Amino acid sequence: MKIYNVTDPEFTNYGRIIEGYEEEKKAIVEALKASTPVPEGTDYVAEEPALQSLAAAASISNSLFGGSDMQFGWCNGHNTKLNCLEYHRSSEINLGSTDFILLLAKREEIVDYKLDSSKVKAFLCPAGTMIEVYATALHYAPCQASKDSGFQVLVGLPKGTNVGKPEFEARNQEDKMLTATNKWLLAHAEASEAKDGAWVGITGENIDIAADLA
């Protein structure tokens, strides 16, 4: 699979690189390294006190989310597979202490609540580069950037995202895809999420980039 870089023009359909804030980025990277684990699988924490308490977090929140309440968590571990795609009604902020790869598609490519995995593109984000992943971009857990490395990635979202699930009567198919607050999910049939009842909305191959890593 071709792996683009977030500096390539193709990325502009999915997100953007956030310029400036070098001291804030450095503080967040240091906190990721010092306070968050790198499990053998993949783990996610919606809000991490070691990140949330940083002055850098407040500074970036005021800039990128216009002062709205924001949560700073992480997604760390080892992964090479697509498995699922999700979207939010908001952008997501990512910053890695390591290089990492995102597998991305566009919401407009969903047809009848399903997406062919051939639409997915891979993007390498170098360590220390902060990006905004647009609300119109489908994404999920990062992938490692080399065979022997894991990843540590900041996940910045509006406060309350991925925490709990609102209870209401589903009126349409998208309602049935809501798996957590502000999180709509499409799973591949091979993914554990599908076995747990998530909407099987990814057709085609369950992409695995392991063979593409050096």
Side-chain angles (χ1 to χ4, degrees):
M1 185 175 192
K2 179 178 176 62
I3 299 176
Y4 297 92
N5 196 293
V6 294
T7 58
D8 292 332
E10 287 80 2
F11 184 63
T12 59
N13 291 318
Y14 305 90
R16 69 182 179 103
I17 294 174
I18 297 167
E19 304 289 350
Y21 297 98
E22 298 308 319
E23 290 304 314
E24 288 85 353
K25 293 173 188 175
K26 181 180 177 182
I28 290 169
V29 165
E30 288 176 351
L32 279 170
K33 288 180 178 178
S35 302
T36 68
V38 184
E40 284 303 312
T42 301
D43 201 4
Y44 169 74
V45 169
E47 189 170 312
E48 168 60 54
L51 297 171
Q52 198 74 34
S53 62
L54 293 173
S59 173
I60 291 171
S61 179
N62 286 331
S63 169
L64 299 181
F65 279 75
S68 298
D69 286 342
M70 187 174 172
Q71 67 190 27
F72 290 82
W74 51 265
C75 187
N76 296 356
H78 296 77
N79 178 50
T80 61
K81 287 189 173 184
L82 175 64
N83 288 323
C84 296
L85 289 165
E86 69 180 0
Y87 60 91
H88 311 296
R89 294 282 195 257
S90 58
S91 292
E92 177 173 313
I93 306 303
N94 292 144
L95 168 66
S97 69
T98 60
D99 293 352
F100 64 96
I101 292 169
L102 289 178
L103 299 176
L104 304 175
K106 293 180 283 189
R107 281 186 62 187
E108 66 196 61
E109 294 169 328
I110 298 173
V111 178
D112 294 330
Y113 303 102
K114 295 199 173 184
L115 180 127
D116 191 309
S117 65
S118 65
K119 301 291 187 182
V120 174
K121 289 185 169 60
F123 291 92
L124 171 70
C125 185
T129 299
M130 181 177 282
I131 59 172
E132 175 185 358
V133 178
Y134 296 146
T136 50
L138 303 170
H139 59 281
Y140 203 51
C143 294
Q144 61 209 60
S146 63
K147 289 186 184 298
D148 299 325
S149 70
F151 56 85
Q152 289 179 302
V153 179
L154 167 78
V155 179
L157 284 162
K159 198 169 186 66
T161 299
N162 292 331
V163 178
K165 179 184 175 183
E167 295 298 328
F168 66 100
E169 180 186 353
R171 302 289 184 92
N172 54 44
Q173 181 55 51
E174 188 186 40
D175 287 351
K176 297 175 184 177
M177 293 159 59
L178 186 72
T179 59
T181 305
N182 193 26
K183 174 179 178 173
W184 290 263
L185 186 72
L186 294 81
H188 192 277
E190 295 177 0
S192 61
E193 289 86 345
K195 296 175 177 60
D196 291 336
W199 169 248
V200 178
I202 299 175
T203 61
E205 175 189 359
N206 186 19
I207 293 168
D208 188 340
I209 64 168
D212 303 303
L213 302 179

